[in-house]
Every structure is written in C-alpha cells, then in structure tokens.
Amino acid sequence: MDCPGRLRSVARVLAAALGTTLTIAACGGGGGGAAPTPTGGRVDLTWFMWSGTPQEADAWKTVAGMVTQQYPNIHVEFTTASFPDYWTKFQAEAASGTLPCLISLQSLRTAGFANNFRPLTPFIQKDHFDVGAFDKSIIGGLTFDKNLRALPYDFGPYVIYYNRDMFEQNHLPLPTNEWTYREFLTDAHALTTGGKYGFMAWTGPEQFLPFVLSSGGSYLKNGKLDFTNPAVQKAFGDYVALATKERVAPPLPATPNSTYAQEQWMAGNAAMLISGPWSVINFKANAKFRFGIVPFPRPADKSITLSAGSGFGISNTCQHPDEAWKALTVMTGPEAEKFLASAGRAFAARTAAQQYWYQVAGPDLQTPLQVALKTAVPYQTTPQWQQVSTLLQRYMVAAINGQMSPSDALDQVQSQAGG
Amino acid sequence: MPALAREQALPAGVARPRRRRARREGLTAFGFLLPNGLGFLLFTLVPIVTSLALSFFAWPLTSSPTFVGADNYVTLLTRDRVFHQVLFNTLYYVFVYVPLNLVVSLGLAVWLSGRVRGANLFRVLFFLPVVTPMVANALVWSLMYQPREGLFDWLLAAVHLPGPNWLGSFEWAMPSVIAMSVWAGFGYNLMVFTAGLRAIPRDLYDAAAVDGATRWQQFWRVTLPLLTPSLFFALVLTLISSFQVFTQPYVLTGGGPADRTTTLVLSMFDNAFQFYRMGYASAIAWFLFVLIMLVTATQFLSQRRWVHYDL
C-alpha cells in the first residue's frame, strides 16, 4: 500500500472496535485465580455465594472479613447472585473453567454439582479437623462419592408449622411431638371451616417424601429416581387426597412463585404448612399470629424427616487450595456460626452454636426440632433433582386440583427425570 | 453501490482517481460498520452457528459435549411426548392470541379514528402496557388471577358467581395467559393501524357516501382493503413474537398445570438452564426457527393474493 496515513486510520478503527469487544468480554466474570504466590504472601480468594437481600450480603461480607482477621495474608472477596441465578452462573463458569476458589453448595444439589468441588477428605485428615462438631445429617447431605465436598454452615429438618391461634380458636389441643397421622387428619378436618383450610398442600418433593420414609419406603433405587414404587405411590396418593378427597387443603393455582404456600399460611388461610427452620425469621417478622412447630405426624410407629442445608467448598480449578481450606475453616468456624445463628440467619450446622439460634428464634422450638433431628436423614437426591422439582411443581398442581391421577403425575416425573 | 458498479465498467486509466476515492469511502464505511459488525459477529452470528452445531451434541454443560448426530431431533419429533404437548400449547396460543390481538387492536383503532372525545388519551392508555415491562404486567395479572383474593374472583363473588381456578385448571390456564397477553400487547398494533388509517384519503369515504354506502360497507369495501399493508405488517410481526412467547407463562404459571402452558421457548429455557441439556435446548431452538421461517415465508408468498399496495 502506498498510503500509510490511511492504513493507520484503518488500524485505529480496528483497534477501537477490538478494544470495545475485549472490554465487554472481560466483564464476563472473575477469573479462576492468579498464579500461585509464595507462602506468607497476600492471597486473594473470590467467594461466590447466593443472597436475597442487601442485609444478607452484608452478613456474608462480615464472615469474609473474619478470614482476614485470623489469617492476615488471606483476603476473601464476596461475590453474589440471587439463588436461581447462582446456579445458572455456576454452570456457565464451571463450563468455561472460571469458577472462583470458594464456592457454595446446597445439599439438594450435591449429586448434580459435586464434581466441581474438590474432595475435602485430604485436608480433614491432614489437619485432624473435627467433622463431628457438625450435625451428622448435613455432613451426609454434602457428601458425594464417600467424600465431603463442602463444610456446612446451616441446615434443618423439614417440620410442620402450625398456626397456634387457629388451633385455640377451634378449641383443639396443640399437636404433640409424637402425634400420629390420624390425629393430623382429625385436626385438619376440624380446622377446615369458614373458608379456611386445615393444611396448605404445596408442590415439591419434600412435601411427601418424609411420609414415604416414615412408612419404611424409599424414593431412590441404586442412586436413581424410583417414583413408581408402591411406597412412593401410596404416600403421594395420600398427600394428594388431602385436597381431592379429604378437602382439608385448598386447590392451587399453577405458579412459579415458590413462596405462594408460605404467603397463604402467613395470611391465615390455612393452619398447617411444611417448611424448615430457615423460615422462622421470615414468619416471625410477617405472620400476625403465634405459631409453633412439630415433627411430621407418624403414619405408623415412627416419623422420619429429611434434612437439608448448605455449605462452602473449594472449586477443583482453585489455584490456592490450602489457603481456601483455611478460609473455609473460618467461614464455618465457631465464631462465624455464632454470628450467623445469633442474627437468626442460620440454624447452625455446628451443634454447639445452635443455642444462639434458639435464643433468637424461640426456646419453644428447641424440643420439637431436636425430636425431628433425632430421626432425620440426609436429603439424598439424583443429579437431575432440579428437573424433578420443576416437574413436580407443574404436575402436583394438576394432581392436587384433581385433574390428573396421582400415579399419572408421578409417572410423568419418573419418565422425564428418571434417567 | 450502483455508482461503484458503473465505475468498474470504465477503462482503467479513466477510473483510477475516482476508484481511489471510492475505495477510501468504502474503507470509511467499513470502519463505521465494523463495531456493529463485530458485535453482530460475536454476539449473534457465532452463537447462532454454535447453537446449530450444539444441536447435534449432548452437553450437560459441566462435562464435555458428546456428538450424538441427529438424536436430539429424532427424540424431539418422535419420542418426547411432552414436546408434542408443548408444540400443541404454542399453536393453541398462536392461533387464539393472534386473531384476538388483531381484532381488538383494529376494532379500537377504527373506533378511535372517528370523532371520539379524548382519542389521544385513550391511545396513550392503550399503549401504556406495551411500554411497561412484561414481567411487571404479568406479576400484576397473577395477583388479579389469585384464587379468592384476586380481582376477578372478587368481582365474580360480588355477583355471587364462583370463579374458575384461573391459573390452576387445564381449561382456564391457557386462556388466562392469552387474555393477559392480549391486554399487554394490542397497543402496538393499535398504533400501526392508527397510522394506516390516517393514510387513507378522506375523499374515498366521501365518494363512497355519495354512492350510498353505509358505515359498515365503507369499512369492508374501503377501510379494510386499503389497510391490508398495515394488516400484513402487523400479522407477520405478531405471529413471530407469539411463536416466541415466554415471559407470560414463565411468570404467570411456570408452565403448569401439568405442562399445559409450557411453550416452545419456555421448554427451551427449561432444558438449557433448569435441566442443563444444552444440545437438546439448541435442537428446540432450531425447530422453532424453522417453524417461524416457514410460517413467515408462507405469509410473504400469500400476500400477493390479499395485500393491496396501490391506492
């Protein structure tokens, strides 16, 4: 070319365009971690965790700060997304190998996401770390392939919440920690009056799986979904019948709003609801009545519930695993657990820190929760559990509204998500 | 472009200075187009081609993709019973929503083109839902559809009528989604038709009136034929967007009850971001693309029969 001036201007245009693109691409997310630094030097770790409110995010930032207090060379930067977005972003970052060092795991997703988490057993053995300080069932829930993948910070068994005012207005004795399914049904009938319902039926596996376990059945077979077995069919059928036959639960709209049932219960439209201890803070703030909790009613001689929770782990692309492990022990350490529990944010996975939660949430919750925990089992799932939940959300509504037989609804879920 | 073509036909010696200038202009144009072109390439063309390639793979996102040939398409068209339901839902939505939208927007546009007090205020009101985010529209409607406490049940209760389970029953879920969509969407076509109506010369109506045509006859013989270009435009765009419906079922029903309101795009979203089956989701995307392309092509081919561009 004979015109260098023009060439330069073309090059400038190209550079500008390319620069813009690169800047946009660079905003796509944090990297997997810088090159290893010499021991004792400053190490920056990024921690990815879901949160719903600014207050929640602030609590996590305080926890991140505790790491630097204990290990001045380790700095933890907190990054966050809403709960559903967390998993989408997690997947995208895992696919591109850019997961941050510290990542968070919910026990229902252990089977689906465990492969992105570095097994913690070697660290535990090296440090003689005391896993026994945590509740057994949540350690089980975060374990995959015989290896613990994350240290838990909170957990909880599914229990039944009841509207104490409604029980008293209907002159019913309050449910006991050893109540039977028959008593539950009698109460539900007595409470179904004047446009109110005794029980808030809802969609999701945890709504009926405790009944499956309590009757001695199982919903998994060799780690795969087994929704066609008779115990599941029976428990699901009984659950659906609460709305279709017993008429103690209201018909439902199809909705993606996961808190619809809780809103109905808090509005006093139904007397009983299934949820975990993580809901207490919200209910205390928003329900205009007194409430209590009880374990699931016994269909026969025992009541077994599921326990689920969350924790933090190390991504397997992390370049500073030793520092990340140190950070983990602080983030789930006694001090952090006390802080989270006394703010009412987490029913502590460390048994010793649970007392602080009871002080805020209510001492009357202690006995029923302890009773439920005694027989609680880890909430085991399949890698397709998200699909199981989504499908149940759609098909349980049809069954509860009486437009689809319970066995057809289960067959649909099994055939689509059973693989 | 025609200027360039003419230059190329000239002898080389004559053309040189002009060609050089043309080349410089071409380079400048290229420079201006480059940022947008690169954006299109990176964020549109590359993903489109990638998704086509992906549709021949099974890819659970966290592990590496495996080539499965046409398996995704075969499963989609033959084995996946839910997909057949999803396809039916989408067609149900399209065939009810599109005519309703056109009738409502055309009817109101014609009404407002007469001597109506505060016609412009009405136009603004009708257009408001179009500029409101669809998620907000759908959330408000989901409150109105609530059993017992919702607006619709409350109104029905006032006249002692029981309301159906708007979002929970097989019979009502899709009609409820469609009703909300028509409310949120007709304002756009209303504007298109208003503009079209204004372009029709008044004297045609005067002539028709002199010939003794009634209002009704004027509408069928004058207004409608002269509005066919606007109608065609509205039909094509509304059809395309309604095949792609996602937000309304996603926010109102989440696809339930029992997948009765799961549409093609919602199913694509489920497969990609809930079930992490990227290859299968890509196959659904390409199925939808071909479907929309066929429908649009058919419309363009048929327009010769019913669209009148000459006044």
Side-chain angles (χ1 to χ4, degrees):
Chain A
M1 284 287 241
D2 55 348
C3 36
R6 196 189 307 150
L7 192 67
R8 218 179 300 138
S9 66
V10 171
R12 215 176 293 146
V13 172
L14 261 175
L18 202 66
T20 320
T21 327
L22 287 178
T23 321
I24 294 166
C27 298
T37 38
T39 353
R42 178 182 162 122
V43 175
D44 287 286
L45 302 172
T46 304
W47 171 28
F48 189 30
M49 169 66 184
W50 60 84
S51 64
T53 60
Q55 290 84 351
E56 223 174 291
D58 285 343
W60 294 127
K61 281 179 194 159
T62 309
V63 171
M66 289 176 182
V67 176
T68 316
Q69 275 172 22
Q70 187 146 356
Y71 300 104
N73 68 319
I74 305 177
H75 293 257
V76 175
E77 193 208 344
F78 174 73
T79 59
T80 190
S82 71
F83 187 75
D85 291 346
Y86 174 86
W87 302 102
T88 309
K89 196 166 181 220
F90 187 109
Q91 290 274 341
E93 295 194 333
S96 57
T98 54
L99 272 176
C101 259
L102 296 165
I103 45 181
S104 315
L105 181 64
Q106 185 214 28
S107 65
L108 298 195
R109 312 204 181 214
T110 301
F113 288 78
N115 286 333
N116 300 294
F117 286 77
R118 194 182 267 265
L120 298 179
T121 318
F123 300 102
I124 293 168
Q125 285 169 348
K126 200 178 74 190
D127 279 12
H128 305 289
F129 184 79
D130 181 19
V131 178
F134 296 92
D135 175 88
K136 255 196 342 281
S137 69
I138 184 58
I139 290 291
L142 294 171
T143 299
F144 184 76
D145 223 1
K146 299 197 178 79
N147 257 303
L148 187 63
R149 304 296 169 134
L151 287 182
Y153 74 90
D154 89 330
F155 84 114
Y158 283 96
V159 289
I160 296 205
Y161 282 76
Y162 63 88
N163 181 328
R164 203 172 155 162
D165 291 1
M166 276 173 87
F167 268 81
E168 285 172 3
Q169 279 152 20
N170 288 285
H171 311 291
L172 288 173
L174 297 179
T176 66
N177 294 328
E178 289 78 32
W179 67 332
T180 62
Y181 193 78
R182 190 181 296 268
E183 287 170 326
F184 161 75
L185 206 55
T186 314
D187 287 352
H189 272 291
L191 291 157
T192 305
T193 162
K196 312 281 183 196
Y197 288 90
F199 179 68
M200 189 64 216
W202 186 233
T203 63
E206 63 285 345
Q207 295 291 320
F208 63 98
L209 293 185
F211 293 114
V212 176
L213 298 172
S214 299
S215 66
S218 168
Y219 56 94
L220 298 179
K221 195 175 179 182
N222 305 324
K224 291 203 164 176
L225 192 70
D226 189 19
F227 270 12
T228 43
N229 85 52
V232 178
Q233 298 270 348
K234 164 89 168 60
F236 186 74
D238 287 348
Y239 186 87
V240 165
L242 291 173
T244 55
K245 203 170 119 241
E246 309 288 348
R247 309 229 169 239
V248 297
L252 296 174
T255 171
N257 174 11
S258 58
T259 55
Y260 176 82
Q262 301 189 355
E263 288 159 15
Q264 290 294 311
W265 182 78
M266 280 194 281
N269 292 334
M272 292 184 274
L273 173 85
I274 293 170
S275 191
W278 50 84
S279 298
V280 168
I281 289 301
N282 181 21
F283 290 167
K284 271 189 117 67
N286 296 309
K288 290 181 181 57
F289 50 81
R290 292 168 305 144
F291 64 85
I293 61 171
V294 267
F296 271 72
R298 296 181 279 124
D301 56 334
K302 57 185 175 179
S303 153
I304 300 177
T305 189
L306 296 165
S307 131
S310 304
F312 315 123
I314 306 169
S315 67
N316 51 20
T317 48
C318 179
Q319 307 235 9
H320 305 285
D322 293 322
E323 284 82 1
W325 165 253
K326 281 182 184 160
L328 279 191
T329 57
V330 179
M331 284 151 61
T332 60
E335 196 199 343
E337 286 281 89
K338 181 181 174 184
F339 164 72
L340 291 171
S342 36
R345 296 213 170 274
F347 182 64
R350 273 182 187 272
T351 342
Q354 286 168 4
Q355 49 171 316
Y356 304 110
W357 186 83
Y358 287 125
Q359 282 167 14
V360 194
D364 52 318
L365 304 184
Q366 185 156 1
T367 315
L369 267 181
Q370 295 300 335
V371 172
L373 277 175
K374 223 176 272 168
T375 53
V377 296
Y379 191 161
Q380 303 276 344
T381 58
T382 64
Q384 290 84 19
W385 205 253
Q386 175 64 23
Q387 190 172 3
V388 173
S389 292
T390 305
L391 292 173
L392 278 175
Q393 178 197 315
R394 290 175 191 163
Y395 285 87
M396 270 180 93
V397 168
I400 285 170
N401 290 341
Q403 292 204 293
M404 193 175 222
S405 77
S407 58
D408 280 354
L410 283 181
D411 284 349
Q412 281 286 345
V413 179
Q414 177 72 37
S415 67
Q416 290 183 56
Chain B
M1 269 302 154
L4 255 176
R6 232 179 296 128
E7 270 178 11
Q8 276 159 5
L10 288 172
V14 185
R16 188 165 291 157
R18 287 174 68 184
R19 192 189 288 166
R20 188 177 291 170
R21 205 181 69 214
R23 198 195 290 156
R24 197 182 320 141
E25 278 176 1
L27 266 175
T28 312
F30 181 72
F32 275 112
L33 286 174
L34 200 59
N36 184 43
L38 271 179
F40 173 77
L41 200 77
L42 263 168
F43 299 116
T44 307
L45 200 62
V46 171
I48 286 177
V49 175
T50 316
S51 82
L52 180 61
L54 257 183
S55 70
F56 297 98
F57 285 84
W59 190 26
L61 208 55
T62 41
S63 51
S64 45
T66 34
F67 184 75
V68 292
D71 256 21
N72 286 332
Y73 291 97
V74 174
T75 308
L76 203 62
L77 297 173
T78 59
R79 283 196 291 275
D80 191 344
R81 270 183 303 147
V82 178
F83 182 73
H84 299 158
Q85 175 74 44
V86 167
L87 188 58
F88 170 81
N89 297 340
T90 311
L91 294 177
Y92 179 175
Y93 179 87
V94 169
F95 283 111
V96 179
Y97 169 77
V98 174
L100 265 179
N101 178 314
L102 293 180
V103 167
V104 171
S105 55
L106 181 62
L108 287 172
V110 171
W111 173 60
L112 288 173
S113 70
R115 277 196 209 95
V116 179
R117 263 181 162 220
N120 277 334
L121 178 70
F122 278 115
R123 287 196 186 104
V124 170
L125 286 180
F126 291 146
F127 198 65
L128 268 182
V130 180
V131 290
T132 314
M134 187 59 93
V135 174
N137 287 336
L139 272 175
V140 170
W141 275 70
S142 76
L143 292 177
M144 300 202 294
Y145 280 135
Q146 283 231 349
R148 296 177 298 278
E149 299 113 343
L151 179 70
F152 295 118
D153 275 7
W154 183 76
L155 287 175
L156 284 172
V159 289
H160 303 289
L161 280 176
N165 190 342
W166 300 104
L167 297 175
S169 67
F170 288 2
E171 301 77 24
W172 282 96
M174 188 55 100
S176 301
V177 171
I178 293 173
M180 182 262 143
S181 307
V182 170
W183 173 84
F186 79 87
Y188 183 79
N189 286 340
L190 176 79
M191 288 298 144
V192 172
F193 293 140
T194 301
L197 286 168
R198 287 203 176 149
I200 301 175
R202 276 250 45 103
D203 36 347
L204 288 179
Y205 291 102
D206 297 339
V210 169
D211 287 345
T214 62
R215 277 293 181 88
W216 191 243
Q217 285 169 325
Q218 286 179 22
F219 173 75
W220 285 106
R221 302 291 170 83
V222 181
T223 309
L224 209 55
L226 292 176
L227 209 57
T228 46
S230 306
L231 259 173
F232 177 68
F233 173 79
L235 181 65
V236 171
L237 287 196
T238 313
L239 261 173
I240 292 177
S241 68
S242 59
F243 269 110
Q244 297 173 335
V245 61
F246 167 76
T247 315
Q248 296 91 312
Y250 180 70
V251 176
L252 283 177
T253 60
D259 278 323
R260 288 303 195 277
T261 57
T262 308
T263 57
L264 278 167
V265 181
L266 183 53
S267 161
M268 184 172 92
F269 171 84
D270 279 349
N271 276 291
F273 301 112
Q274 303 265 322
F275 314 156
Y276 307 118
R277 295 196 297 218
M278 291 294 166
Y280 202 63
S282 301
I284 297 177
W286 276 88
F287 177 88
L288 179 63
F289 173 74
V290 171
L291 186 66
I292 291 179
M293 205 176 64
L294 285 178
V295 171
T296 310
T298 317
Q299 284 176 278
F300 271 90
L301 288 177
S302 71
Q303 66 161 322
R304 231 174 298 153
R305 298 215 184 135
W306 64 275
V307 183
H308 309 280
Y309 285 106
D310 44 329
L311 251 179

